[in-house]
PDB file of all heavy atoms in Angstrom:
ATOM      1  N   ALA J 134      75.583 103.413 112.056  1.00 95.00           N
ATOM      2  CA  ALA J 134      75.420 104.871 112.100  1.00 95.00           C
ATOM      3  C   ALA J 134      74.384 105.267 113.147  1.00 95.00           C
ATOM      4  O   ALA J 134      74.586 106.220 113.917  1.00 95.00           O
ATOM      5  CB  ALA J 134      75.016 105.386 110.720  1.00 95.00           C
ATOM      6  N   ARG J 135      73.260 104.536 113.162  1.00 96.00           N
ATOM      7  CA  ARG J 135      72.226 104.852 114.161  1.00 96.00           C
ATOM      8  C   ARG J 135      72.731 104.574 115.574  1.00 96.00           C
ATOM      9  O   ARG J 135      72.446 105.327 116.518  1.00 96.00           O
ATOM     10  CB  ARG J 135      70.963 104.041 113.853  1.00 96.00           C
ATOM     11  CG  ARG J 135      70.250 104.501 112.582  1.00 96.00           C
ATOM     12  CD  ARG J 135      68.926 103.809 112.397  1.00 96.00           C
ATOM     13  NE  ARG J 135      69.048 102.397 112.093  1.00 96.00           N
ATOM     14  CZ  ARG J 135      69.242 101.905 110.862  1.00 96.00           C
ATOM     15  NH1 ARG J 135      69.356 102.717 109.830  1.00 96.00           N
ATOM     16  NH2 ARG J 135      69.314 100.604 110.666  1.00 96.00           N
ATOM     17  N   GLU J 136      73.494 103.501 115.699  1.00 94.00           N
ATOM     18  CA  GLU J 136      74.069 103.182 117.010  1.00 94.00           C
ATOM     19  C   GLU J 136      75.041 104.276 117.443  1.00 94.00           C
ATOM     20  O   GLU J 136      75.064 104.685 118.614  1.00 94.00           O
ATOM     21  CB  GLU J 136      74.787 101.832 116.925  1.00 94.00           C
ATOM     22  CG  GLU J 136      75.391 101.355 118.238  1.00 94.00           C
ATOM     23  CD  GLU J 136      76.083 100.012 118.098  1.00 94.00           C
ATOM     24  OE1 GLU J 136      75.854  99.307 117.090  1.00 94.00           O
ATOM     25  OE2 GLU J 136      76.865  99.661 119.005  1.00 94.00           O
ATOM     26  N   LEU J 137      75.826 104.761 116.480  1.00 93.00           N
ATOM     27  CA  LEU J 137      76.783 105.820 116.788  1.00 93.00           C
ATOM     28  C   LEU J 137      76.067 107.086 117.241  1.00 93.00           C
ATOM     29  O   LEU J 137      76.496 107.763 118.188  1.00 93.00           O
ATOM     30  CB  LEU J 137      77.644 106.108 115.555  1.00 93.00           C
ATOM     31  CG  LEU J 137      78.650 107.253 115.680  1.00 93.00           C
ATOM     32  CD1 LEU J 137      79.663 106.957 116.779  1.00 93.00           C
ATOM     33  CD2 LEU J 137      79.352 107.502 114.353  1.00 93.00           C
ATOM     34  N   MET J 138      74.967 107.417 116.577  1.00 95.00           N
ATOM     35  CA  MET J 138      74.223 108.625 116.959  1.00 95.00           C
ATOM     36  C   MET J 138      73.706 108.527 118.383  1.00 95.00           C
ATOM     37  O   MET J 138      73.755 109.497 119.153  1.00 95.00           O
ATOM     38  CB  MET J 138      73.063 108.839 115.979  1.00 95.00           C
ATOM     39  CG  MET J 138      73.515 109.216 114.576  1.00 95.00           C
ATOM     40  SD  MET J 138      72.144 109.313 113.389  1.00 95.00           S
ATOM     41  CE  MET J 138      71.256 110.724 114.036  1.00 95.00           C
ATOM     42  N   VAL J 139      73.231 107.338 118.754  1.00 96.00           N
ATOM     43  CA  VAL J 139      72.753 107.141 120.132  1.00 96.00           C
ATOM     44  C   VAL J 139      73.903 107.291 121.112  1.00 96.00           C
ATOM     45  O   VAL J 139      73.791 107.955 122.158  1.00 96.00           O
ATOM     46  CB  VAL J 139      72.094 105.755 120.268  1.00 96.00           C
ATOM     47  CG1 VAL J 139      71.793 105.443 121.734  1.00 96.00           C
ATOM     48  CG2 VAL J 139      70.813 105.679 119.438  1.00 96.00           C
ATOM     49  N   ILE J 140      75.040 106.662 120.763  1.00 93.00           N
ATOM     50  CA  ILE J 140      76.205 106.717 121.650  1.00 93.00           C
ATOM     51  C   ILE J 140      76.695 108.151 121.800  1.00 93.00           C
ATOM     52  O   ILE J 140      77.029 108.608 122.906  1.00 93.00           O
ATOM     53  CB  ILE J 140      77.330 105.813 121.104  1.00 93.00           C
ATOM     54  CG1 ILE J 140      76.918 104.346 121.211  1.00 93.00           C
ATOM     55  CG2 ILE J 140      78.634 106.045 121.848  1.00 93.00           C
ATOM     56  CD1 ILE J 140      77.874 103.389 120.535  1.00 93.00           C
ATOM     57  N   GLU J 141      76.759 108.866 120.659  1.00 90.00           N
ATOM     58  CA  GLU J 141      77.252 110.248 120.718  1.00 90.00           C
ATOM     59  C   GLU J 141      76.313 111.135 121.534  1.00 90.00           C
ATOM     60  O   GLU J 141      76.773 112.012 122.279  1.00 90.00           O
ATOM     61  CB  GLU J 141      77.421 110.792 119.297  1.00 90.00           C
ATOM     62  CG  GLU J 141      78.611 110.177 118.564  1.00 90.00           C
ATOM     63  CD  GLU J 141      78.800 110.755 117.177  1.00 90.00           C
ATOM     64  OE1 GLU J 141      77.820 111.302 116.629  1.00 90.00           O
ATOM     65  OE2 GLU J 141      79.921 110.659 116.653  1.00 90.00           O
ATOM     66  N   LYS J 142      75.012 110.938 121.385  1.00 94.00           N
ATOM     67  CA  LYS J 142      74.061 111.724 122.185  1.00 94.00           C
ATOM     68  C   LYS J 142      74.249 111.421 123.662  1.00 94.00           C
ATOM     69  O   LYS J 142      74.242 112.335 124.507  1.00 94.00           O
ATOM     70  CB  LYS J 142      72.626 111.416 121.757  1.00 94.00           C
ATOM     71  CG  LYS J 142      71.577 112.252 122.497  1.00 94.00           C
ATOM     72  CD  LYS J 142      70.177 111.937 122.035  1.00 94.00           C
ATOM     73  CE  LYS J 142      69.162 112.853 122.729  1.00 94.00           C
ATOM     74  NZ  LYS J 142      69.218 112.780 124.191  1.00 94.00           N
ATOM     75  N   ARG J 143      74.409 110.134 123.975  1.00 94.00           N
ATOM     76  CA  ARG J 143      74.628 109.758 125.369  1.00 94.00           C
ATOM     77  C   ARG J 143      75.934 110.355 125.886  1.00 94.00           C
ATOM     78  O   ARG J 143      76.006 110.821 127.028  1.00 94.00           O
ATOM     79  CB  ARG J 143      74.661 108.224 125.480  1.00 94.00           C
ATOM     80  CG  ARG J 143      74.960 107.687 126.867  1.00 94.00           C
ATOM     81  CD  ARG J 143      73.954 108.159 127.886  1.00 94.00           C
ATOM     82  NE  ARG J 143      74.227 107.607 129.207  1.00 94.00           N
ATOM     83  CZ  ARG J 143      73.858 108.185 130.342  1.00 94.00           C
ATOM     84  NH1 ARG J 143      73.179 109.325 130.328  1.00 94.00           N
ATOM     85  NH2 ARG J 143      74.153 107.621 131.492  1.00 94.00           N
ATOM     86  N   ALA J 144      76.957 110.371 125.000  1.00 89.00           N
ATOM     87  CA  ALA J 144      78.246 110.933 125.414  1.00 89.00           C
ATOM     88  C   ALA J 144      78.111 112.425 125.717  1.00 89.00           C
ATOM     89  O   ALA J 144      78.700 112.936 126.678  1.00 89.00           O
ATOM     90  CB  ALA J 144      79.288 110.706 124.319  1.00 89.00           C
ATOM     91  N   VAL J 145      77.344 113.127 124.878  1.00 88.00           N
ATOM     92  CA  VAL J 145      77.118 114.566 125.116  1.00 88.00           C
ATOM     93  C   VAL J 145      76.393 114.768 126.445  1.00 88.00           C
ATOM     94  O   VAL J 145      76.752 115.648 127.247  1.00 88.00           O
ATOM     95  CB  VAL J 145      76.313 115.187 123.962  1.00 88.00           C
ATOM     96  CG1 VAL J 145      75.858 116.603 124.325  1.00 88.00           C
ATOM     97  CG2 VAL J 145      77.153 115.216 122.699  1.00 88.00           C
ATOM     98  N   ASP J 146      75.370 113.951 126.687  1.00 92.00           N
ATOM     99  CA  ASP J 146      74.619 114.068 127.941  1.00 92.00           C
ATOM    100  C   ASP J 146      75.537 113.831 129.141  1.00 92.00           C
ATOM    101  O   ASP J 146      75.480 114.581 130.145  1.00 92.00           O
ATOM    102  CB  ASP J 146      73.469 113.060 127.969  1.00 92.00           C
ATOM    103  CG  ASP J 146      72.362 113.408 126.985  1.00 92.00           C
ATOM    104  OD1 ASP J 146      72.321 114.569 126.534  1.00 92.00           O
ATOM    105  OD2 ASP J 146      71.558 112.512 126.656  1.00 92.00           O
ATOM    106  N   ILE J 147      76.385 112.803 129.036  1.00 91.00           N
ATOM    107  CA  ILE J 147      77.301 112.496 130.144  1.00 91.00           C
ATOM    108  C   ILE J 147      78.294 113.629 130.348  1.00 91.00           C
ATOM    109  O   ILE J 147      78.595 114.037 131.486  1.00 91.00           O
ATOM    110  CB  ILE J 147      78.039 111.170 129.874  1.00 91.00           C
ATOM    111  CG1 ILE J 147      77.059 109.999 129.938  1.00 91.00           C
ATOM    112  CG2 ILE J 147      79.187 110.970 130.871  1.00 91.00           C
ATOM    113  CD1 ILE J 147      77.665 108.666 129.525  1.00 91.00           C
TER     114      ILE J 147
END
Side-chain angles (χ1 to χ4, degrees):
R135 290 187 291 275
E136 182 180 344
L137 177 62
M138 292 175 67
V139 171
I140 292 172
E141 288 182 338
K142 183 179 184 303
R143 177 59 178 154
V145 170
D146 290 343
I147 292 173

